[in-house]
Amino acid sequence: MASDPDQARPGAARALAAAWAALWAALFLLALRLPPDGREHGNLGQFLGRLHPLLVHGPTALLVLVPVLELAGLSARRPHLRLAAGWILTLAAAAALLAAFDGWLLAWSGGFRGRDVTRHMWDGVWLAALGALAALARGRRPRVAYPVVLAGSVVLMVFTAHIGGTLTYGEGFLSEKMPAPFRAWLGIPAPARAAAALTAAPQPAVRGGPGSTDPSNPAFYGLHVAPILSRSCISCHKPEKHKGGLRMDSLALLLLGGEDGPVIAPGRPESSDLLRRVRLPPSDDDYMPSDGEKPLTPEEIRTIERWIAAGAKGG
Ligand code: HEC
């Protein structure tokens, strides 16, 4: 039976390892010197970067396949599975490197920033390194190195994928609908009520109550204004991605404003930059929501205007 082809051609394997190390070093330097800083850098980078959520499925699937093949191949009836494992691991390491490069491109060019973004980026960089180390350790001494490094890569991969999912779908996406006993067993707190102000449907307690139509009632914000912002604006104005320095994931942050100062002048809709922007013609540079997102309806704009006119209060 043929031996491992990489070991049969040590020269080729060494060249591959050197090329890989150079690429990884480039990735490391990019992550270090050009971290995601919340500013956008070019459209082509963003276009290519947006392939990242697609690309990550490659290394994820390939990497979990490796221990499955190694273990299944222990059976005397399926030794061929172990032969495939080495090649698939090399492929997984290459795919992890590509996904990490593209993830950095997305974060840097797309105007991302924040603790989770940075952590996810470094997880990806180290995962690319660990995957390759596993490939390198396979079939070499000490024998224990390979299973340890492989297990480490799988654990780091799960962790990296989880933070990536959190960045994409929002905090608590996985646990929100989790059965309560299971959640308690894992020690995950119940979904925060504060988050409901922006993301959830109106609170039943005030629905239809006096707050529902009176814009000076603090409940008006959560009932009518927050859902509009949540639908049309928050994708670009949240912790991981505060375009223009403006965050809308809480009323306090919204009132704080962005790079150019406050965007809401309570009681004075005509002086509120936020309102000015949503009223502009969509072709205007300042128009919001930008990037061809669905414009606010006249009724939604009117709701925001009434809320600001009444003092921009919140409950
Ligand atoms: C597709 C991404 C995107 C969406 C969606 C979006 N914005 Fe923006 N927003 C930006 C970018 C980029 C900037 C910074 C550039 C600028 O000032 O025009 C910005 C800046 C702003 C600013 C100015 C902040 C400052 O102080 O400079 C306001 C106000 C604003 N947006 C309001 C909104 C509102 C209201 C919505 C929803 C109706 C919205 N945005 C939706 C991308 C977006």
Side-chain angles (χ1 to χ4, degrees):
M1 184 162 289
S3 63
D4 192 325
D6 283 348
Q7 311 224 326
R9 298 205 319 273
R14 225 173 292 136
L16 193 71
W20 192 93
L23 283 173
W24 186 83
L27 171 68
F28 181 83
L29 283 177
L30 283 174
L32 197 67
R33 304 306 296 266
L34 297 175
D37 58 4
R39 285 194 293 266
E40 286 184 60
H41 304 269
N43 281 335
L44 184 61
Q46 293 198 49
F47 166 67
L48 295 174
R50 286 183 187 192
L51 297 174
H52 175 72
L54 185 76
L55 286 179
V56 290
H57 294 93
T60 309
L62 291 170
L63 196 58
V64 288
L65 200 55
V66 174
V68 172
L69 290 177
E70 298 280 18
L71 291 174
L74 289 176
S75 145
R77 279 182 297 129
R78 304 187 217 93
H80 52 283
L81 293 183
R82 298 197 70 192
L83 276 181
W87 193 76
I88 289 181
L89 179 56
T90 307
L91 209 59
L97 188 67
L98 181 69
F101 259 112
D102 204 44
W104 165 80
L105 189 61
L106 175 64
W108 177 71
S109 65
F112 288 82
R113 64 183 286 169
R115 196 196 54 190
D116 283 353
V117 170
T118 306
R119 198 163 94 188
H120 180 61
M121 177 184 74
W122 283 111
D123 285 348
V125 171
W126 292 119
L127 181 57
L130 219 55
L133 282 181
L136 220 63
R138 190 170 189 273
R140 289 193 173 77
R141 293 185 182 282
R143 290 264 173 248
V144 52
Y146 173 57
V148 169
V149 179
L150 181 63
S153 345
V154 173
V155 170
L156 182 58
M157 186 270 289
V158 170
F159 198 73
T160 310
H162 175 63
I163 306 274
T166 302
L167 288 171
T168 312
Y169 300 111
E171 189 101 40
F173 179 73
L174 205 57
S175 58
E176 192 185 20
K177 305 291 177 192
M178 193 183 273
F182 191 41
R183 196 164 50 217
W185 182 68
L186 287 173
I188 300 170
R193 284 201 51 216
L198 253 183
T199 53
Q203 304 273 315
V206 282
R207 182 184 284 154
S212 60
T213 52
D214 174 7
S216 66
N217 187 311
F220 187 86
Y221 172 74
L223 277 170
H224 299 290
V225 180
I228 300 172
L229 304 180
S230 175
R231 213 168 27 243
S232 302
C233 318
I234 204 158
S235 57
C236 298
H237 294 287
K238 58 184 178 178
E240 305 84 33
K241 199 174 189 183
H242 25 124
K243 296 284 170 93
L246 180 63
R247 278 174 61 170
M248 301 195 189
D249 47 314
S250 82
L251 177 56
L253 289 166
L254 172 60
L255 291 176
L256 206 60
E259 277 164 9
D260 303 327
V263 297
I264 287 170
R268 290 183 295 126
E270 70 289 350
S271 315
S272 299
D273 188 42
L274 185 142
L275 209 54
R276 176 187 72 83
R277 286 178 179 250
V278 296
R279 280 180 175 149
L280 289 167
S283 55
D284 195 290
D285 268 357
D286 279 358
Y287 175 74
M288 288 292 146
S290 68
D291 285 0
E293 301 276 328
K294 197 165 152 277
L296 299 190
T297 65
E299 198 189 328
E300 287 173 329
I301 296 178
R302 177 92 189 105
T303 300
I304 297 176
E305 182 187 358
R306 286 173 60 216
W307 170 69
I308 296 178
K313 297 199 210 56

